[in-house]
């Protein structure tokens, strides 16, 4: 990557901005100041014209910072170049050459193709240098033969000159087989006993929690509909002098909790059900139990109207009735550059009534109601997955 490529990318960003401003009116003309609904509109226009998409995280990485210090992937450069009216990133650079700039033919290759060419070059076999047998001189062979002959004669003569002395001393022996047999049997049973004791100790240490613990199964039921809750629930286990431990109860599955304690205090919460604190004496409590949760009807209706794309006029009226005029609304982002954005009631209604595919990924994190029952706080996010 060269500095000229970074300058070309800044040119491409300006042309992308100009292309978008021809048919749209965002909150700011400068693309680096776009956020929230402006980015969603831009993503829709990019999918429509270039048949591709960039994630919100990539937008903040490459458009919020100027100048950038690294280039995006080649597929993102190609998508933005097509959106600006060019065939590819290579075609864009060819039409914006600087003075004395020469494009190499390899610049138009995909990164994967370049990696494959490099791997092929690295893995190509290298022939080892072989010395022809014809280059071995006859003198060398003759010298080797003479050396072998001399060594053989020396070994034979050395063996012939050796003298063997015989010892006529008498050795006295005694039988110890009986003593060794008794000692080996005692040693064998001693090791078996020690190994058995160690195995029992290791087993107790390794499985002590399972031996002395007990499992409890809790199924959560919708109190109004008398059916299993088809949504994730947050379960906090509270212990004395300890921080809460957070678990997630999966939809339509019982929450399984293993413990050695005699008492249980857990707080169950969900964006769509009222928070409930449950206390049990585990010495007398049953192993399996159904627990009813009261639904948060306003939150459920908010979720339904936010996801529905039918009858937009009725949808706007219903949301206007459900949400308080002074509601605090937060949008949470999945990136480190911009964490949370606040918006007013009308802007939120405009966002969720926009016929966009991004609403398929809208997720309500938390809601709160005021004394009159209307929603006075909403926290939500729109998840995005970048396809590589």
């Amino acid at each position: 990557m060269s500095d000229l490529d970074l300058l070309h990318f800044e040119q491409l960003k300006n042309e992308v901005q100009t292309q978008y401003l021809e048919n749209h009116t965002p909150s700011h003309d400068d693309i680096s100041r776009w956020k929230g609904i402006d980015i969603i509109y831009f993503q829709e226009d990019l999918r429509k014209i270039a048949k591709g998409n960039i994630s919100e995280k990539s937008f903040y990485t490459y458009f919020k910072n100027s100048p950038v210090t690294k280039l995006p992937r080649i597929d993102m450069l190609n998508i933005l170049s097509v959106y600006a009216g060019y065939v590819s990133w290579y075609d864009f650079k060819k039409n914006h050459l600087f003075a004395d700039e020469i494009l190499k033919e390899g610049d138009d290759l995909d990164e994967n193709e370049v990696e494959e060419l490099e791997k092929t070059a690295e893995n190509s076999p290298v022939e080892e240098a072989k010395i022809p047998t014809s280059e071995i001189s006859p003198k060398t062979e003759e010298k080797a033969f003479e050396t072998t002959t001399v060594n053989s004669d020396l070994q034979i003569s050395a063996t012939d000159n050796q003298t063997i002395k015989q010892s006529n001393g008498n050795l006295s022996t005694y039988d110890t087989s009986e003593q060794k047999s008794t000692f080996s049997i005692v040693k064998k049973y001693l090791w078996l006993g020690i190994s058995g004791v160690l195995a029992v100790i290791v087993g107790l240490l390794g499985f002590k929690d399972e031996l002395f613990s007990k499992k409890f199964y809790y199924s959560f039921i919708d109190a109004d509909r008398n059916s299993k809750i088809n949504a994730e629930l947050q379960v906090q286990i509270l212990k004395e002098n300890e921080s809460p431990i957070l678990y997630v109860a999966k939809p339509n599955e019982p929450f399984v909790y293993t413990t050695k304690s005699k008492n249980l205090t857990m707080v169950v919460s969900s964006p769509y059900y009222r928070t409930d604190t449950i206390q049990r004496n585990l010495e007398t409590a049953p192993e399996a139990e159904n627990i009813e949760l009261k639904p948060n009807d306003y939150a459920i209706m908010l979720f339904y109207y936010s996801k529905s794309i039918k009858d937009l006029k009725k949808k706007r009226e219903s949301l206007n009735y459900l949400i308080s005029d002074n509601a605090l609304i937060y949008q949470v982002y999945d990136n480190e550059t911009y964490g949370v954005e606040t918006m007013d009631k009308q802007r939120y209604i405009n966002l969720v009534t926009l016929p966009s595919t991004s609403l398929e990924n809208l997720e309500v994190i938390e809601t709160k109601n005021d004394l009159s029952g209307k929603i006075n706080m909403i926290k939500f996010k729109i998840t995005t997955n970048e396809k590589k």
Side-chain angles (χ1 to χ4, degrees), residues 144-167:
F145 176 74
E146 291 176 354
T147 304
T148 305
T149 305
V150 172
N151 290 338
S152 177
D153 292 340
L154 288 174
Q155 184 172 356
I156 293 173
S157 61
T159 305
D160 293 338
N161 294 330
Q162 290 179 356
T163 59
I164 300 176
K165 296 181 180 180
Q166 296 183 355
S167 176

Side-chain angles (χ1 to χ4, degrees), residues 36-47 52-56 303 306-309 315 331 333-334 350-364 380-385:
I37 194 171
D38 296 328
I39 300 176
I40 294 177
Y41 278 123
F42 172 68
Q43 289 175 322
E44 290 290 326
D45 200 42
L46 190 65
R47 284 191 288 267
N53 183 41
I54 63 172
S55 68
E56 188 178 19
F303 173 78
S306 298
K307 303 284 277 190
S308 175
I309 58 174
K315 177 179 174 180
Q331 181 178 359
Y333 294 92
D334 289 329
N350 292 337
L351 175 63
V352 298
T353 54
L354 167 71
S356 169
T357 56
S358 300
L359 295 181
E360 297 175 358
N361 299 323
L362 187 143
E363 177 183 351
V364 178
F380 73 99
K381 70 176 181 177
I382 299 177
T383 59
T384 55
N385 294 321

